[in-house]
Amino acid sequence: MSAHDRIARNPPKRLLSLDGGGIRGLITIEMLAAIERLLQTALGRSDDFVLADYFDYIAGASTGAVIAASLSLGMRVNQVREFYISSGAEMFDKAVWLRRFNYKYEDERLARKLRSVFGEDTTLGDERLRTLLLLVLRNATTDAPWPVSNNPFAKYNDLRRGDSNLKLPLWQLVRASAAAPVFFPPEVVQVGRNSFVFQDGGMTIYNNPALQLFLMATLEEHRLVWPTGEDKMLLVSVGTGGTAEANANLAPGDLNVLYNATAIPSALLYSASVQQDVLCRVLGRCRSGDQLDREIGDLIGSNGLAQPKLFTYLRYNVDLSSQGLAGLDLTHIAPEHVQPPDSIDYMEDLQLVGHAAARTQVKPAHFNDFV
């Protein structure tokens, strides 16, 4: 199928959302590998089955954008895994020391890899994309989130426009979505006659793009208007692992300028990601997901706010705290080794975490009525 075929296909519609998180995308990849195997078996498909055969719309922010674009082009999860493992060190190529005042890593090797994987001339509107694709960027020039898709009906995707988003290079949009401040330099993209500076899409409220994906598939203003209903739409959201920065020994005096400068951005991103998850669980029929907090639990089976439910919702993620790793029988893995987004020295540990989490979370029953 092509992206146009996905639009015309009858419900149910199947949506896949992928969080940001740097090299922790390896956790996402192992989750996706389990989903790919499960669906291949459930659908009775041959070994050439890929997730682009199943999902109609795939979204990603930051590292999730890299994976989302790869899947939309028809790559198997194993191919995406090989790309991350073979390119991890190149993705995080340390900048010369004079530049480290602005960013830790160079971007030329990463850009070169993305061009080789996606193609120098592949655009967002390329017919080789087998699904609808949503990439989340942050437009630093306008100080606004910039979710961009290959939906041919979208206002700014009209090919008659000089600034049509469909004409933009796919590799550059992915690179821009992954341009994490401090880690990588920003990406400058020419959009028609305008030149915009873009940063990591994870630096917006849509680091978990699941709810934004649902809105862009259903709101009249986005011109798809796919039908809603728990039997008409499946939304699968996959995280890269995370944990609240709890500190029982924190004192008021510790909240100084340096602490706030480093802690506030990560705190806001974590809170935004959780809130997006909460909203999806109360609007949709939640079938899977870890406990959100001790008051509301996991909301699986909850009536939530919307009746009837707008979609069926699956959330797969993992707690990277000591307690969370112990629950996966991974006490030999240190949390500080798998929590940073640039832990390229511990990619094998990240894979072990993703594999263990997938083994306990991804269940055939979650996809009932959608195979």
Side-chain angles (χ1 to χ4, degrees), residues 14-30:
R14 304 172 180 94
L15 284 56
L16 175 64
S17 171
L18 308 174
D19 290 13
I23 200 63
R24 294 204 317 267
L26 281 166
I27 294 175
T28 300
I29 288 169
E30 295 306 324

Side-chain angles (χ1 to χ4, degrees), residues 190-240:
Q190 192 69 31
V191 185
R193 290 179 292 180
N194 296 310
S195 181
F196 295 121
V197 179
F198 286 99
Q199 287 183 312
D200 193 333
M203 298 303 295
T204 70
I205 196 172
Y206 309 125
N207 186 51
N208 172 353
L211 184 61
Q212 181 64 18
L213 173 60
F214 167 71
L215 295 176
M216 291 184 70
T218 57
L219 284 181
E220 182 179 348
E221 288 73 12
H222 294 297
R223 304 177 182 176
L224 278 180
V225 201
W226 284 354
T228 61
E230 63 180 287
D231 61 336
K232 294 181 174 66
M233 181 170 288
L234 172 68
L235 175 55
V236 181
S237 174
V238 186
T240 59

Side-chain angles (χ1 to χ4, degrees), residues 104-123:
K104 290 177 64 177
Y105 303 106
E106 299 284 7
D107 71 322
E108 182 49 39
R109 289 190 181 182
L110 173 59
R112 190 163 56 244
K113 278 287 184 181
L114 293 176
R115 286 194 295 266
S116 69
V117 171
F118 300 133
E120 182 84 35
D121 301 321
T122 303
T123 64

Side-chain angles (χ1 to χ4, degrees), residues 2 6 35 74 80 87 92-93 130 206 236 252 273 283 290 305 343-344 349 355 361:
S2 66
R6 297 294 180 180
I35 294 172
V80 185
S87 307
F92 294 91
D93 179 32
R130 295 169 56 175
Y206 309 125
V236 181
S273 180
L283 295 174
D290 288 339
L305 295 177
S343 294
I344 57 173
D349 285 350
H355 187 267
Q361 294 183 33

